[in-house]
Amino acid sequence: MATPELVHHATGTRTKSSDYRSVPPQRKTEDDSAKPTWREQLRRASIIVAMLVVVALTAWSALTYYNARRNSPSSVLAHTVERIYTIGYQKRASATLEKKKKTGNYTVDHMLVEANPFGTNTTSLYVFFVTDQLMSVSYTVSAPETNFPDFTRVVTTQAQRGRTHEFQVTGLIPSTKNVVTFTLTDVDEHTITRQYTYTMGDVLGNEPVRVNATFFADNSTKLTNGLYAVMPEAAEGSSTHFAFLYDSSGILRGEIPLKNVKGTRFITIGQQTCYAVSTTQFACVDKLGAVKNFFNFDERYSLFSDYTTDSNGNIIAIATNGNAFDKTKEVGTYVVRINILNGKMTVLANLARLLNSYRTTTVARALTADGGSSDGAWNWLDLDSISALDDNRYLLSSREASSVITLDVNDSPSITSIIGPANLWNDPKYSYLVMKKNGNFADFAGQNDIRVSNVNATGYTLTLFNNNYAYSPSNPTFNWSNALPTASQRIQATNSEARSYVYTYAVNTQDNTYTLTSSMSTPYSPLYGNAQFVDDAVVTVDSQAATWSAWNNQGTQLVKFNGHEGTNVNGARASLGTVYKVQYCF
């Protein structure tokens, strides 16, 4: 029996201005006896004028939208993204789908398919249908007009098989025809397939559809079936950011719009994926792409950098207080908790109070994205990441101080230990808190992305990305050469010896020591970046070069992706600019 094809061609999709072209009308001759009357001529002229007005308005709207999203900071795009992350938008989208589900008889031969109804992934489809038998589902996305590889995902396994099927298809290729092949398997392992064709519009951002991927000899280590969440700086002049999802071949498989915040990380709370969509708001999205919960900062607080969760799923974030900024220009000194049950925000600690003696030795300067400094803010700690030891103790990474600080928020907040340069913390108020090195190894400098694991009564395991860059605009008189002699003090590598590292420590909280247990060398990345352990592999980022790599545990590079070497479907060159973080997930 022939396999039926469900054909759908997108209407009203995002259209580039270059896709619009004028077609000259064809002339046809008429003899004088066939000429219409003056009334008929007037009627025809009115119809033609009306049609021209409609075409002109349609083209103008599309061109305005395209030019606005490309060029204007206060663009249609920014307004659209702002609207997506509202309760009203999400409720209307859900209501529309529910109405269609109730009024239609959707089967495997007549599926309900909607393009990105919730607005949270521009290259996705919502799918709903019902089967008579218990069945499992998988799908494969193909782009026959390109040379891109197929993309396959399992929706439900045999153990999860059911009769009602509702899910999100990810991985469609923009600006081309996509064929989605659904494979359904019953309890007797009999399978049926159905196909759905969708012509995807253009992406909202400027990202490459394919980045250059270089694979190396060792293929023995395989990453699990996931996607790289790539979080770059926004395009120049744009107030809209994105997180992009790339597969293991370097093909764009998802575009997640954000408001006025760089992508930081994705966290899982229950069955939902949560992330910051702006500096004042988190969104938690379900498997369909629907935003089920919004969580907001109170009053004048805003997200400064990183966030994590406690054991109850509450969000713990590094924040800036707007009132404090107005007085002193200070940023990123607060740690706050947002309760996911009632949405209430609580201030857990203000580092400006806990470390005030050190604070008074610094000046009101802040690091800039190009490695320089500015007096526009007082970023004397530059807390770039946070990780939980338990519900009362959190590790904070201070890039400015090249230190990892333990914060205890139980009852009265306090600093209980510091891993960092002893001569930086030689004030008697802090010197007794500095942990001792157990062994002879180089210290980290300007580190990012601290992660905690194996927490027990005697200590924990600490991993971090050692940028190996010792520079502090807020503390310009401190002698970093003496404190961290092995660290670089240049924003650019001057020779092949400059490297960054992935460090793993065994931290003993009983005897107040830490031991370097593993070190993996990576290309020099003085600012930003991260390191993530995934099964038997490690994912790292060279932020300034806009590259990310996967390595095995022995430090052998498996694959390298270059965000500066990318193309779109039409062959145009595209680049990701600065990549702040890459997280292997989804």
Side-chain angles (χ1 to χ4, degrees):
M1 184 178 70
T3 301
E5 183 183 44
L6 303 173
V7 180
H8 176 89
H9 295 287
T11 58
T13 55
R14 300 172 297 280
T15 307
K16 290 185 175 180
S17 57
S18 57
D19 292 339
Y20 287 91
R21 60 188 181 90
S22 59
V23 180
Q26 295 183 353
R27 298 174 178 267
K28 69 177 183 178
T29 59
E30 299 176 346
D31 56 35
D32 292 341
S33 61
K35 289 183 178 180
T37 65
W38 69 270
R39 293 181 181 274
E40 181 62 21
Q41 288 178 336
L42 181 60
R43 188 183 68 84
R44 291 182 181 180
S46 299
I47 293 174
I48 291 172
V49 169
M51 291 175 64
L52 288 174
V53 169
V54 170
V55 171
L57 286 173
T58 302
W60 177 84
S61 297
L63 289 169
T64 299
Y65 174 80
Y66 175 78
N67 290 325
R69 76 179 181 84
R70 295 286 185 180
N71 303 317
S72 173
S74 56
S75 64
V76 173
L77 173 59
H79 175 72
T80 300
V81 174
E82 188 80 27
R83 189 164 51 91
I84 286 170
Y85 292 109
T86 60
I87 295 174
Y89 184 96
Q90 296 298 319
K91 282 187 174 181
R92 286 190 294 273
S94 295
T96 299
L97 292 176
E98 288 301 316
K99 183 177 180 180
K100 289 183 178 182
K101 286 161 58 178
K102 290 178 180 178
T103 57
N105 181 25
Y106 296 104
T107 67
V108 69
D109 294 317
H110 176 54
M111 301 178 184
L112 173 60
V113 182
E114 297 287 334
N116 186 28
F118 300 103
T120 56
N121 185 349
T122 63
T123 62
S124 69
L125 300 174
Y126 164 89
V127 177
F128 172 83
F129 61 93
V130 177
T131 54
D132 294 332
Q133 303 179 59
L134 293 171
M135 308 196 84
S136 61
V137 180
S138 65
Y139 64 84
T140 297
V141 177
S142 306
E145 297 173 350
T146 74
N147 62 351
F148 296 158
D150 291 349
F151 179 76
T152 299
R153 282 291 181 268
V154 174
V155 178
T156 49
T157 64
Q158 282 291 77
Q160 299 167 326
R161 59 182 179 264
R163 291 186 174 87
T164 300
H165 309 277
E166 187 177 30
F167 54 93
Q168 184 184 52
V169 172
T170 61
L172 277 74
I173 302 297
S175 301
T176 192
K177 181 173 75 173
N178 292 262
V179 178
V180 184
T181 302
F182 298 96
T183 301
L184 289 82
T185 306
D186 65 18
V187 293
D188 297 320
E189 299 295 324
H190 298 143
T191 64
I192 59 173
T193 61
R194 297 292 185 269
Q195 288 189 326
Y196 183 87
T197 298
Y198 182 82
T199 302
M200 178 62 67
D202 188 20
V203 291
L204 296 179
N206 298 306
E207 72 275 15
V209 175
R210 172 177 238 160
V211 298
N212 183 56
T214 303
F215 296 88
F216 300 95
D218 181 10
N219 291 318
S220 60
T221 302
K222 299 290 185 182
L223 273 71
T224 53
N225 192 25
L227 296 172
Y228 297 95
V230 181
M231 305 168 209
E233 178 63 282
E236 185 176 353
S238 174
S239 59
T240 303
H241 292 69
F242 296 91
F244 305 120
L245 306 181
Y246 285 90
D247 67 17
S248 57
S249 297
I251 310 300
L252 180 71
R253 297 298 180 179
E255 182 190 57
I256 299 174
L258 308 172
K259 292 193 274 189
N260 62 338
V261 67
K262 291 188 294 287
T264 302
R265 71 174 69 252
F266 294 88
I267 56 178
T268 301
I269 301 178
Q271 300 298 313
Q272 298 171 10
T273 299
C274 303
Y275 52 95
V277 297
S278 76
T279 57
T280 59
Q281 185 181 59
F282 292 93
C284 291
V285 178
D286 68 9
K287 64 178 182 178
L288 303 178
V291 180
K292 307 306 290 185
N293 290 290
F294 290 101
F295 299 105
N296 301 296
F297 287 86
D298 287 350
E299 298 172 351
R300 299 197 64 201
Y301 288 89
S302 61
L303 178 67
F304 174 71
S305 57
D306 197 19
Y307 47 89
T308 186
T309 59
D310 63 17
S311 62
N312 296 312
N314 299 316
I315 299 171
I316 313 297
I318 301 169
T320 292
N321 183 315
N323 294 326
F325 178 81
D326 289 344
K327 294 177 182 178
T328 65
K329 294 187 178 180
E330 281 182 276
V331 294
T333 63
Y334 286 80
V335 177
V336 303
R337 177 178 60 218
I338 300 177
N339 189 302
I340 62 168
L341 296 180
N342 57 25
K344 183 180 179 180
M345 193 201 84
T346 303
V347 175
L348 299 179
N350 178 7
L351 276 295
R353 293 180 180 177
L354 300 179
L355 296 173
N356 187 56
S357 291
Y358 173 74
R359 169 179 171 267
T360 57
T361 67
T362 66
V363 297
R365 304 286 296 179
L367 184 75
T368 57
D370 60 0
S373 65
S374 166
D375 60 2
W378 188 8
N379 193 10
W380 56 277
L381 278 176
D382 197 359
L383 298 178
D384 55 42
S385 59
I386 182 172
S387 190
L389 289 169
D390 53 42
D391 287 353
N392 292 317
R393 296 179 300 156
Y394 298 92
L395 293 190
L396 299 169
S397 169
S398 168
R399 195 214 65 82
E400 283 283 299
S402 290
S403 300
V404 174
I405 300 165
T406 304
L407 170 67
D408 191 323
V409 298
N410 189 28
D411 296 328
S412 179
S414 61
I415 304 299
T416 58
S417 69
I418 299 173
I419 300 176
N423 48 352
L424 182 72
W425 302 103
N426 57 9
D427 187 313
K429 293 182 178 180
Y430 314 121
S431 57
Y432 74 98
L433 298 172
V434 178
M435 302 187 82
K436 300 176 180 62
K437 287 203 300 185
N438 182 21
N440 184 21
F441 49 85
D443 293 302
F444 54 80
Q447 74 291 337
N448 269 269
D449 198 41
I450 58 172
R451 295 294 110 194
V452 168
S453 60
N454 305 320
V455 180
N456 55 50
T458 61
Y460 56 90
T461 299
L462 169 65
T463 61
L464 56 81
F465 185 69
N466 175 16
N467 298 75
N468 202 30
Y469 177 50
Y471 171 62
S472 176
S474 68
N475 200 344
T477 62
F478 184 74
N479 192 329
W480 288 105
S481 297
N482 289 338
L484 302 171
T486 60
S488 173
Q489 295 184 53
R490 295 180 180 272
I491 190 67
Q492 294 183 347
T494 56
N495 55 59
S496 60
E497 298 301 318
R499 304 286 288 177
S500 295
Y501 300 89
V502 180
Y503 276 2
T504 302
Y505 295 102
V507 180
N508 190 315
T509 55
Q510 289 189 328
D511 61 15
N512 207 38
T513 63
Y514 61 102
T515 305
L516 183 68
T517 58
S518 71
S519 171
M520 190 186 82
S521 173
T522 72
Y524 184 55
S525 181
L527 301 176
Y528 318 116
N530 64 297
Q532 179 189 8
F533 285 83
V534 184
D535 298 328
D536 294 327
V538 184
V539 176
T540 66
V541 178
D542 182 349
S543 294
Q544 283 66 42
T547 65
W548 67 96
S549 300
W551 315 70
N552 66 19
N553 285 336
Q554 289 72 47
T556 300
Q557 195 169 19
L558 306 174
V559 60
K560 176 182 177 181
F561 300 92
N562 193 331
H564 282 328
E565 296 179 1
T567 59
N568 287 323
V569 171
N570 60 9
R573 303 297 297 175
S575 172
L576 288 173
T578 298
V579 174
Y580 285 86
K581 288 187 178 180
V582 172
Q583 182 180 356
Y584 195 74
C585 54
F586 293 97

